[in-house]
Amino acid sequence: QTNAGVRPEDLPLIYLLGGAATLVSAPLIGRLSDTYGKVKVLRGVALVAIVPMLLMTQAEWFPLAGILLISTAFFIFVSGRMIPGMALVSGAVNPNLRGTFMTLNSSLQSAGMGLGALLGGAIISRGGDGLVHHYWVCGVVAVVFNVMGMVLAGQVTPPALTRNAPPG
């Protein structure tokens, strides 16, 4: 916001467009995951997400219309990774252990968000000019973790289901 010169009164428009686009794109991404496979769609969406990830951290060069386009794409594709990702992860555990697994998964997601905020805070700084410095590095780090997720997605396999098997 500071580096790109986005005014506080423009923020609701960013969230309105991003939210509306996500409302439309999320069911589509879900259908694509069911039709073409979760790993394939996750990798495709994550690959496309790299572009808005990098552009968001370079948005100071764009007019408001460009920022709206980039932020809307960011909303669609960065959050869109979660749809096939969660379907893939939730199918990786026996149904009788799914509640415990999803609790652990949620805890790890929260820890990851905290670690991301800590890492981001260590990378960026605010200069004497009031601008945020090294924000682009956060974009590069995000892309690295995104690519790692794309690779790891192929390693997730569903459990062998057995009837009436005891948990554990």
Side-chain angles (χ1 to χ4, degrees), residues 68-79:
L68 291 173
L69 185 65
I70 293 165
S71 62
T72 300
F74 186 85
F75 271 80
I76 292 169
F77 295 107
V78 171
S79 67

Side-chain angles (χ1 to χ4, degrees), residues 123-149:
I123 293 170
I124 62 173
S125 62
R126 189 173 300 268
D129 55 1
L131 298 177
V132 176
H133 296 280
H134 310 295
Y135 186 41
W136 67 271
V137 177
C138 290
V140 172
V141 170
V143 167
V144 167
F145 279 100
N146 188 56
V147 171
M148 286 172 46

